């Protein structure tokens, strides 16, 4: 966990700031070198803007860094006008050009162009009502690409969503990572039924764990499995003792059914939701995965959903 957060700090904060300072001070001795180095900064910035976890550091920071980049690019463009077009005939200059070109065009460009593939899905989908209503919610994992959604490598959960809630600062918790469950904005939030349907399974026995503890045996923790319009919908990591439905209940869309907790294989409080084709798996985590749409929208990382 410490390694994951250290990596997140480096990729979301340290590298963008270092790039901004580099760009501000000048990134080339000639226009060709300038262009390749600007592409490095630009491609990296677009990638972290699209695929970064901005609920950790503050959603507004995503846009502050983007604005800072635009201003710095503008300044850099003015600086570049006075540069010679090509480098002096020195081997070392051409070597650094080659390195910049390789990083920009063969490492970062493919990384950026890979992201938009995650914004669409294939096959059938189920249309649901968004099951949280009391604030601003953030898609932490969602989309059809491992870059945007850590579930995407699993056939059943390839379109699963992990949802957090943003507090007034635009972060999901009052600290980068904390053992205090109530510090996470989504903890104990009311969960509403996403459809008119029937409860197939309702499990309410596992404790809410103190981060970073997790239960590797009971992966979904407390969960509700509902049959909705030809799909089985799984809502997982619910709070112990919070379920107000049981097996066989007929539920109306928008009906309060449980509260968000931190049970099962989870690093912190959040809602996990995924759908599979009806009756295709022996356990809630098996079966033929289906995409979910809310208001006909396929949600991906960094999408926000506003409560009423
Ligand atoms: Zn999940």
């Amino acid at each position: 966990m410490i390694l994951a957060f250290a990596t997140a700090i480096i990729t979301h904060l340290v590298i963008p700031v270092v790039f901004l300072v580099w760009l501000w001070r000048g990134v080339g001795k000639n226009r060709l070198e300038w262009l390749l180095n600007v592409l490095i900064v630009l491609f990296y910035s677009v990638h972290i803007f699209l695929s970064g976890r901005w609920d950790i550091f503050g959603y507004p920071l995503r846009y502050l860094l983007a604005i800072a980049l635009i201003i710095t690019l503008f300044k850099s463009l003015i600086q570049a006008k006075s540069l010679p077009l090509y480098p002096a005939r020195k081997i070392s200059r051409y070597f650094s050009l080659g390195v910049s070109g390789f990083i920009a065009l063969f490492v970062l460009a493919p990384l950026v162009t890979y992201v938009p593939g995650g914004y669409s899905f294939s096959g059938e989908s189920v249309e649901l009502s968004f099951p949280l209503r009391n604030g601003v919610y953030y898609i932490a994992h969602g989309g059809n690409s491992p870059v945007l959604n850590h579930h995407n490598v699993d056939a059943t959960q390839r379109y699963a969503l992990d949802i957090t809630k943003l507090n007034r600062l635009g972060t999901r918790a009052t600290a980068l990572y904390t053992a205090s469950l109530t510090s996470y904005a989504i903890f104990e939030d009311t969960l509403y039924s996403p459809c008119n349907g029937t409860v197939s399974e309702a499990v309410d026995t596992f404790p809410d764990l103190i981060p970073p503890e997790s239960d590797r045996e009971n992966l979904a923790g407390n969960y509700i499995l509902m049959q909705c319009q030809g799909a089985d919908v799984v809502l997982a990591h619910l709070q112990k003792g919070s379920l107000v439905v049981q097996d066989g209940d007929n539920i109306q869309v928008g009906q309060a059914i449980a509260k968000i907790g931190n049970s099962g294989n989870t690093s912190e409080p959040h809602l996990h939701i995924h759908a599979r084709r009806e009756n295709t798996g022996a356990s809630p985590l098996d079966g033929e995965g289906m995409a979910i749409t809310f208001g006909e929208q396929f949600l991906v990382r960094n999408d926000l959903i506003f409560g009423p």
Side-chain angles (χ1 to χ4, degrees):
M1 198 54 69
I2 291 171
L3 186 65
F5 276 88
T7 306
I9 289 169
I10 290 168
T11 53
H12 291 66
L13 302 178
V14 176
I15 295 177
V17 169
V18 166
F19 275 170
L20 282 174
V21 172
W22 185 38
L23 200 56
W24 188 267
R25 297 178 64 176
V27 290
K29 291 194 163 50
N30 56 79
R31 284 192 221 174
L32 187 59
E33 187 179 22
W34 174 85
L35 178 66
L36 291 173
N37 288 337
V38 162
L39 286 179
I40 289 176
V41 175
L42 203 57
F43 288 156
Y44 181 83
S45 301
V46 170
H47 183 260
I48 202 71
F49 181 85
L50 295 175
S51 66
R53 276 287 304 273
W54 294 102
D55 63 330
I56 296 174
F57 300 101
Y59 201 75
L61 188 62
R62 185 181 189 228
Y63 291 96
L64 284 176
L65 284 171
I67 292 166
L69 177 66
I70 291 166
I71 293 169
T72 311
L73 268 176
F74 191 68
K75 178 182 184 283
S76 186
L77 187 65
I78 294 168
Q79 281 176 339
K81 282 186 178 173
S82 58
L83 294 175
L85 205 51
Y86 297 108
R89 289 169 182 255
K90 265 169 103 180
I91 296 268
S92 61
R93 283 264 145 245
Y94 281 92
F95 179 75
S96 83
L97 268 183
V99 171
S100 296
F102 179 81
I103 294 172
L105 303 175
F106 295 100
V107 178
L108 294 172
L111 205 60
V112 171
T113 51
Y114 185 60
V115 176
Y119 293 162
S120 59
F121 62 90
S122 56
E124 284 178 77
S125 63
V126 58
E127 167 70 17
L128 299 178
S129 168
F130 195 74
L132 299 160
R133 298 184 170 185
N134 302 306
V136 180
Y137 298 94
Y138 172 87
I139 304 301
H141 289 273
N144 188 15
S145 161
V147 180
L148 301 170
N149 185 356
H150 73 126
H151 311 92
N152 193 246
V153 292
D154 180 280
T156 304
Q157 298 186 47
R158 61 185 294 202
Y159 299 124
L161 299 161
D162 280 348
I163 301 166
T164 62
K165 180 177 176 179
L166 300 184
N167 58 26
R168 285 183 188 173
L169 295 173
T171 59
R172 88 231 187 281
T174 52
L176 274 189
Y177 196 59
T178 166
S180 162
L181 292 174
T182 51
S183 297
Y184 295 86
I186 201 166
F187 186 67
E188 295 187 316
D189 225 40
T190 301
L191 176 69
Y192 300 91
S193 174
C195 63
N196 294 322
T198 308
V199 175
S200 321
E201 292 176 34
V203 173
D204 194 9
T205 53
F206 300 109
D208 291 288
L209 302 167
I210 302 302
E213 265 184 71
S214 67
D215 184 345
R216 301 291 168 103
E217 288 179 13
N218 305 291
L219 300 178
N222 303 316
Y223 68 90
I224 295 173
L225 176 66
M226 289 189 67
Q227 296 207 310
C228 309
Q229 303 140 203
D232 289 335
V233 175
V234 180
L235 300 142
H237 309 312
L238 307 177
Q239 187 181 28
K240 186 179 181 185
S242 74
L243 274 67
V244 292
V245 295
Q246 46 194 321
D247 298 12
D249 283 359
N250 286 317
I251 306 296
Q252 298 299 306
V253 63
Q255 186 178 331
I257 52 177
K259 288 190 186 296
I260 305 301
N262 193 43
S263 57
N265 187 23
T266 163
S267 54
E268 62 179 61
H270 69 281
L271 173 67
H272 168 104
I273 179 168
H274 74 263
R276 68 174 186 206
R277 193 193 298 268
E278 205 168 37
N279 301 321
T280 54
S283 92
L285 305 182
D286 296 325
E288 295 174 33
M290 284 173 82
I292 297 172
T293 56
F294 296 102
E296 298 188 356
Q297 202 189 346
F298 178 63
L299 298 176
V300 301
R301 176 175 294 160
N302 283 311
D303 279 339
L304 295 182
I305 300 91
F306 295 86

